[in-house]
Amino acid sequence: MQNIQKGSQEKIYLNVYVDGSLAQADALPTISIVDADTGVSLVASSTSIDEQPEGIYSWVINQNVTNLNRVIQVTWSYYINGISATETQFYSIETPYSSITEIVDFLGYGSQSSDLNYHDPKEIGNAEKLARTIIEGYTGIKFYTYYGSQEVFAKGSDALELTEKILNIDKVWENDLLSIDNTVDPVYNNFGFSLEITPTGRAVRIVNAGWDIRYDNQVDPKVLYYGRFRDNSRYKFMGQMGYKYVPEDIKLASMLLVSDILANDYNWRNKYLAKVDLAEISFEMAKGAFNGTGNIAVDNILDQYRNMNIVII
C-alpha cells in the first residue's frame, strides 16, 4: 500500500498494459475515490490526465481527500480495445510523527550524498514509518487525528469511560438506535441531555445544571435517579479521535527510534542476536534490548502513555 502524507497534494498514476506492453486506452480513464473503511464517496467521478509515454495516466489527489488519516480506495475505469476494465488501488493517508527535515536536523545527518553520515530521504521516511509502527504497537495509541467510531458498555453512571481519546462527537447510538446527531441542523437529540467531553478526552459526561453528575451506579435516595448511561447498555460514538497534533515527546521518541533503526547494529538486535563477534569488534547486548522498543529512553517516554490506566474525569 502506498503512503500519502496528510494534507499534501499527490499525483497518482495508472499504467495500462496489453500483453505486457503499455497501451493507449480507447479514451481517458475516469477515477473515483471512496473511504476504504466506510465506503463514503470522496470523488464521484473525474477524468484522468494523459501522460507520456502512451498508456500512462495520472490524477492529482488534493487536500479535500488527504485532510484526514484514512485508507482510500481509488478505482480507475477505462476501455481498452472496446473492452471495459477497472483497476483498484489503495493509498494510506498518514501523519508522520517526525518529518524528514526534523530528523536530519535532530540527528545531524549530512545533507549531501557525499557526506559520510548522509542517509537517503526515502530511507529516512521508511525508518520513520517503522518507528511510528513500533510506537503505536507499544502504546496502543495513535498520536494523530483520525475519523472513526468506538463502542463501550455503560455502568449505570452519568459519565462513560472511553477506550480511545475523542476530540468531537458527531453521532451517538444507544443499543444501535441513533440518539444524538450533531451533524444536522437543528441538532437531533433523543438522548435527553447534551454531552460534553471531559478535559482528558477519555470520557464523556452528560450536561445538566440541575443535577450533580454521578460517576458511579449508585442510587441517590433523594431523587431516585440512576445514571443516564444505562447499566450494560452499549453506546457507539462517532467523530474525530486521537490527538490534534503529535505530542513533542512522541516526536522525540520517533526520532530516537529512527536513529536506532538506521544504526549499523539494528539488524543484529532485530534478529535477536544477543552477542556478536566480528574480526575487529565484539559486543553483547543487554537482555533489555529485546524488551519494549529496544531503547530505554524511548520506553520511558512511551510508558507515560502506555500506563495511563486511570481516567481522570
Side-chain angles (χ1 to χ4, degrees):
M1 185 183 300
Q2 301 182 59
N3 302 319
I4 298 176
Q5 186 170 328
K6 177 186 173 184
S8 66
Q9 184 168 287
E10 191 89 10
K11 181 180 281 190
I12 60 175
Y13 295 90
L14 168 71
N15 292 349
V16 176
Y17 290 95
V18 174
D19 295 330
S21 301
L22 286 170
Q24 197 78 1
D26 296 351
L28 291 175
T30 60
I31 187 173
S32 62
I33 302 176
V34 300
D35 186 305
D37 293 309
T38 66
V40 173
S41 176
L42 303 174
V43 176
S45 180
S46 183
T47 303
S48 63
I49 300 172
D50 199 359
E51 299 279 354
Q52 293 298 324
E54 67 174 21
I56 298 179
Y57 305 91
S58 69
W59 196 83
V60 176
I61 295 178
N62 59 30
Q63 289 82 357
N64 292 330
V65 175
T66 65
N67 61 339
L68 286 176
N69 287 75
R70 54 189 164 195
V71 176
I72 59 173
Q73 176 181 316
V74 177
T75 302
W76 303 81
S77 301
Y78 58 94
Y79 283 87
I80 185 76
N81 297 327
I83 300 174
S84 174
T86 60
E87 181 173 328
T88 301
Q89 301 169 345
F90 291 89
Y91 294 84
S92 178
I93 312 299
E94 300 181 349
T95 297
Y97 289 169
S98 51
S99 68
I100 293 176
T101 300
E102 290 172 327
I103 294 170
V104 169
D105 181 64
F106 179 78
L107 298 178
Y109 290 153
S111 57
Q112 304 294 328
S113 59
S114 58
D115 296 334
L116 292 177
N117 59 344
Y118 172 81
H119 289 276
D120 184 88
K122 185 176 181 180
E123 180 186 22
I124 296 175
N126 290 336
E128 187 281 329
K129 183 175 182 179
L130 178 56
R132 186 174 359 123
T133 303
I134 293 172
I135 290 173
E136 292 175 4
Y138 186 82
T139 61
I141 297 173
K142 300 174 182 177
F143 295 94
Y144 51 78
T145 301
Y146 58 97
Y147 195 84
S149 63
Q150 56 178 302
E151 290 188 353
V152 291
F153 283 89
K155 298 179 180 179
S157 67
D158 288 332
L160 192 58
E161 184 177 325
L162 303 177
T163 58
E164 300 176 65
K165 185 180 176 72
I166 193 168
L167 299 175
N168 74 280
I169 301 173
D170 280 351
K171 296 180 181 180
V172 180
W173 287 264
E174 183 179 33
N175 295 324
D176 294 328
L177 297 176
L178 182 64
S179 297
I180 297 176
D181 188 347
N182 292 318
T183 65
V184 296
D185 188 15
V187 170
Y188 173 78
N189 190 327
N190 194 36
F191 188 72
F193 301 94
S194 297
L195 299 179
E196 67 178 4
I197 301 170
T198 62
T200 62
R202 298 303 297 269
V204 174
R205 59 192 174 197
I206 69 169
V207 179
N208 191 326
W211 285 328
D212 291 332
I213 305 303
R214 303 191 60 82
Y215 299 113
D216 53 43
N217 60 356
Q218 300 301 311
V219 179
D220 188 334
K222 294 180 292 186
V223 297
L224 299 177
Y225 170 70
Y226 288 89
R228 177 58 184 88
F229 292 104
R230 306 191 201 311
D231 191 25
N232 289 324
S233 288
R234 178 167 46 87
Y235 293 88
K236 177 181 177 181
F237 296 86
M238 178 175 288
Q240 288 190 336
M241 313 285 179
Y243 286 73
K244 291 182 180 179
Y245 55 88
V246 178
E248 190 62 29
D249 52 356
I250 296 300
K251 185 184 295 289
L252 176 60
S254 169
M255 294 187 290
L256 290 174
L257 282 178
V258 168
S259 177
D260 288 350
I261 292 168
L262 296 180
N264 293 330
D265 65 344
Y266 182 76
N267 287 332
W268 302 115
R269 186 173 70 248
N270 205 36
K271 291 179 172 58
Y272 285 98
L273 295 178
K275 186 175 182 179
V276 180
D277 291 310
L278 303 175
E280 299 177 354
I281 189 172
S282 174
F283 59 88
E284 184 173 353
M285 297 179 185
K287 294 181 180 179
F290 305 102
N291 300 327
T293 66
N295 185 309
I296 189 171
V298 173
D299 288 350
N300 288 336
I301 293 173
L302 300 184
D303 281 343
Q304 301 175 68
Y305 296 90
R306 189 188 189 199
N307 296 329
M308 191 182 297
N309 296 322
I310 299 176
V311 175
I312 301 175
I313 297 175

